Amino acid sequence: MPVHRIRPDISVLSDSLEVPGIGYIPVNAFVLHAPQPVVVDTGLGLPDRHFLEVLAQVVDPADVRWIWLTHPDRDHTGGIDALLAAAPDAKLVTTFVAVGIMSCESPLPLDRVHLLNPGQSLDVGDRTLTAFRPPLFDNPTTVGFFDDLTGVCFSSDCFGAPMPAADVAESTDARGLPAEDLRAAQLMWASVDSPWVENVDPKRFLDSFHLLRDRAPELVLSTHLPAAEGITERMVDTLGSAAGLSPFVGPDQAALAQMLAGFEPTGP
Ligand SMILES: [Fe+2]
Ligand SMILES: [Fe+2]
């Protein structure tokens, strides 16, 4: 689980998950090294991941002041309980509905929560972070943000793409993939993660990219893509074309049975 300091004020905690037949899905968390340090999402909760120990390579967990949870899907909440315990001064930046969803598993003390809706901003010492709803998402509570000092966009699931290998998924640069391959992978991810794009009105859908077009971030950081520098316009064009896309349909039971039959028996 490599940690990349991609800018003086940004670390990427890179991870990935292999999905048979699809590829390697990057699963990133981030640290924004502002005067009030911000952790953005908390990775996978698999037993061997040890989120806190990885985080401690770049920031003392006790110094973390904000945990920006872009949405409470399990690939974003792996280290959350451990981090809340290790960072007594940290508040969880999230939404009212996300708190409700999380309360189904482990209720959050409300004095540890900071509710922030799209359009609102958070002051982290030397800059503000302005929340927005990314154009594509798989959870209704999803909130990404723009760093108002540097322009960097944290886009949550939006712009994700399966990668051909784990080392590519955990690399520092989405431009490592040829443009056409990246485009195909991002549309594939859109068809998996946001199957509702099949039903959207193309014009209204395109309008939902207006903030990204206006702010034109030089760097886009998605949970499910290596850091994407200097290709925002191209990526917006890719996802802007997703209206009407056919949803991904996974293998059915017959396909699973065929796959299992192909495995060599193990054991005595
Ligand atoms: Fe998600
Ligand atoms: Fe996700």
Side-chain angles (χ1 to χ4, degrees), residues 113-204:
V113 163
H114 182 94
L115 295 184
L116 198 78
N117 289 321
Q120 297 184 316
S121 296
L122 180 73
D123 189 332
V124 296
D126 64 346
R127 67 193 76 187
T128 54
L129 311 178
T130 297
F132 83 119
R133 172 175 287 147
L136 278 87
F137 54 85
D138 69 349
N139 181 306
T141 70
T142 301
V143 180
F145 65 88
F146 292 95
D147 179 327
D148 297 320
L149 180 66
T150 63
V152 175
C153 175
F154 292 75
S155 69
S156 191
D157 283 5
C158 188
F159 296 112
M163 295 285 135
D167 61 333
V168 185
E170 297 176 16
S171 71
T172 55
D173 192 347
R175 293 171 299 187
L177 216 60
E180 269 317 298
D181 292 359
L182 181 60
R183 176 185 169 83
Q186 286 185 312
L187 289 174
M188 139 67 100
W189 177 250
S191 78
V192 173
D193 201 56
S194 307
W196 48 263
V197 292
E198 182 186 29
N199 303 316
V200 297
D201 174 79
K203 182 176 179 318
R204 291 194 64 182

Side-chain angles (χ1 to χ4, degrees), residues 71 75-76 157 224:
H71 61 294
D75 50 326
H76 301 248
D157 283 5
H224 303 305

Side-chain angles (χ1 to χ4, degrees), residues 92-111:
L92 186 70
V93 182
T94 185
T95 64
F96 178 78
V97 177
V99 171
I101 291 171
M102 294 187 76
S103 72
C104 299
E105 269 192 351
S106 58
L108 282 165
L110 290 181
D111 61 352

Side-chain angles (χ1 to χ4, degrees), residues 238-249:
T238 294
L239 292 193
S241 74
L245 195 65
S246 296
F248 172 79
V249 178

